[in-house]
PDB file of all heavy atoms in Angstrom:
ATOM      1  N   ASP A  70     -37.283 106.059-100.834  1.00 90.00           N
ATOM      2  CA  ASP A  70     -37.873 106.219 -99.498  1.00 90.00           C
ATOM      3  C   ASP A  70     -39.363 105.893 -99.506  1.00 90.00           C
ATOM      4  O   ASP A  70     -39.901 105.354 -98.530  1.00 90.00           O
ATOM      5  CB  ASP A  70     -37.580 107.571 -98.816  1.00 90.00           C
ATOM      6  CG  ASP A  70     -37.546 108.740 -99.753  1.00 90.00           C
ATOM      7  OD1 ASP A  70     -38.006 108.600-100.898  1.00 90.00           O
ATOM      8  OD2 ASP A  70     -37.056 109.796 -99.315  1.00 90.00           O
ATOM      9  N   GLU A  93     -42.294 108.509 -90.850  1.00 96.00           N
ATOM     10  CA  GLU A  93     -41.803 109.813 -91.286  1.00 96.00           C
ATOM     11  C   GLU A  93     -42.373 110.192 -92.652  1.00 96.00           C
ATOM     12  O   GLU A  93     -42.520 111.364 -92.973  1.00 96.00           O
ATOM     13  CB  GLU A  93     -40.281 109.715 -91.353  1.00 96.00           C
ATOM     14  CG  GLU A  93     -39.562 110.984 -91.583  1.00 96.00           C
ATOM     15  CD  GLU A  93     -38.109 110.687 -91.940  1.00 96.00           C
ATOM     16  OE1 GLU A  93     -37.813 110.497 -93.133  1.00 96.00           O
ATOM     17  OE2 GLU A  93     -37.295 110.649 -91.019  1.00 96.00           O
ATOM     18  N   GLU A  94     -42.703 109.202 -93.448  1.00 95.00           N
ATOM     19  CA  GLU A  94     -43.191 109.458 -94.808  1.00 95.00           C
ATOM     20  C   GLU A  94     -44.703 109.657 -94.879  1.00 95.00           C
ATOM     21  O   GLU A  94     -45.239 109.883 -95.966  1.00 95.00           O
ATOM     22  CB  GLU A  94     -42.802 108.294 -95.730  1.00 95.00           C
ATOM     23  CG  GLU A  94     -41.313 108.101 -95.914  1.00 95.00           C
ATOM     24  CD  GLU A  94     -40.648 109.260 -96.657  1.00 95.00           C
ATOM     25  OE1 GLU A  94     -41.308 109.902 -97.491  1.00 95.00           O
ATOM     26  OE2 GLU A  94     -39.461 109.517 -96.364  1.00 95.00           O
ATOM     27  N   ASP A 117     -38.658 105.289 -89.504  1.00 97.00           N
ATOM     28  CA  ASP A 117     -38.030 106.132 -90.528  1.00 97.00           C
ATOM     29  C   ASP A 117     -37.570 105.136 -91.592  1.00 97.00           C
ATOM     30  O   ASP A 117     -36.537 104.495 -91.446  1.00 97.00           O
ATOM     31  CB  ASP A 117     -36.846 106.908 -89.939  1.00 97.00           C
ATOM     32  CG  ASP A 117     -36.100 107.737 -90.989  1.00 97.00           C
ATOM     33  OD1 ASP A 117     -36.479 107.672 -92.183  1.00 97.00           O
ATOM     34  OD2 ASP A 117     -35.151 108.443 -90.617  1.00 97.00           O
ATOM     35  N   PRO A 118     -38.362 104.960 -92.659  1.00 96.00           N
ATOM     36  CA  PRO A 118     -38.098 103.847 -93.591  1.00 96.00           C
ATOM     37  C   PRO A 118     -36.757 103.962 -94.302  1.00 96.00           C
ATOM     38  O   PRO A 118     -36.095 102.964 -94.547  1.00 96.00           O
ATOM     39  CB  PRO A 118     -39.244 103.924 -94.603  1.00 96.00           C
ATOM     40  CG  PRO A 118     -40.174 104.969 -94.129  1.00 96.00           C
ATOM     41  CD  PRO A 118     -39.503 105.769 -93.057  1.00 96.00           C
ATOM     42  N   LEU A 119     -36.392 105.188 -94.667  1.00 96.00           N
ATOM     43  CA  LEU A 119     -35.079 105.352 -95.304  1.00 96.00           C
ATOM     44  C   LEU A 119     -34.416 106.590 -94.716  1.00 96.00           C
ATOM     45  O   LEU A 119     -34.838 107.712 -94.964  1.00 96.00           O
ATOM     46  CB  LEU A 119     -35.221 105.479 -96.820  1.00 96.00           C
ATOM     47  CG  LEU A 119     -33.949 105.028 -97.541  1.00 96.00           C
ATOM     48  CD1 LEU A 119     -33.805 103.520 -97.501  1.00 96.00           C
ATOM     49  CD2 LEU A 119     -33.952 105.475 -98.979  1.00 96.00           C
ATOM     50  N   ASP A 120     -33.407 106.347 -93.921  1.00 96.00           N
ATOM     51  CA  ASP A 120     -32.698 107.437 -93.259  1.00 96.00           C
ATOM     52  C   ASP A 120     -31.429 107.754 -94.044  1.00 96.00           C
ATOM     53  O   ASP A 120     -30.686 106.845 -94.422  1.00 96.00           O
ATOM     54  CB  ASP A 120     -32.337 107.005 -91.831  1.00 96.00           C
ATOM     55  CG  ASP A 120     -31.453 108.017 -91.142  1.00 96.00           C
ATOM     56  OD1 ASP A 120     -31.931 109.131 -90.905  1.00 96.00           O
ATOM     57  OD2 ASP A 120     -30.278 107.699 -90.882  1.00 96.00           O
ATOM     58  N   GLY A 121     -31.230 109.051 -94.272  1.00 94.00           N
ATOM     59  CA  GLY A 121     -30.046 109.470 -95.040  1.00 94.00           C
ATOM     60  C   GLY A 121     -30.301 109.381 -96.531  1.00 94.00           C
ATOM     61  O   GLY A 121     -29.390 109.115 -97.314  1.00 94.00           O
ATOM     62  N   SER A 122     -31.555 109.606 -96.912  1.00 88.00           N
ATOM     63  CA  SER A 122     -31.934 109.326 -98.307  1.00 88.00           C
ATOM     64  C   SER A 122     -31.178 110.179 -99.324  1.00 88.00           C
ATOM     65  O   SER A 122     -31.050 109.786-100.480  1.00 88.00           O
ATOM     66  CB  SER A 122     -33.443 109.440 -98.504  1.00 88.00           C
ATOM     67  OG  SER A 122     -33.948 110.555 -97.849  1.00 88.00           O
ATOM     68  N   GLU A 280     -36.554 108.944 -85.112  1.00 98.00           N
ATOM     69  CA  GLU A 280     -35.086 108.895 -85.142  1.00 98.00           C
ATOM     70  C   GLU A 280     -34.481 108.925 -83.737  1.00 98.00           C
ATOM     71  O   GLU A 280     -33.693 108.049 -83.375  1.00 98.00           O
ATOM     72  CB  GLU A 280     -34.545 110.069 -85.982  1.00 98.00           C
ATOM     73  CG  GLU A 280     -34.927 109.938 -87.461  1.00 98.00           C
ATOM     74  CD  GLU A 280     -34.636 111.175 -88.304  1.00 98.00           C
ATOM     75  OE1 GLU A 280     -34.886 112.297 -87.820  1.00 98.00           O
ATOM     76  OE2 GLU A 280     -34.185 111.030 -89.448  1.00 98.00           O
TER      77      GLU A 280
HETATM   78 MN1   MN B   3     -36.192 109.155 -93.870  1.00 97.50          MN
END
Side-chain angles (χ1 to χ4, degrees):
D70 36 14
E93 189 193 88
E94 296 294 330
D117 176 358
L119 206 73
D120 173 66
S122 43
E280 294 170 319

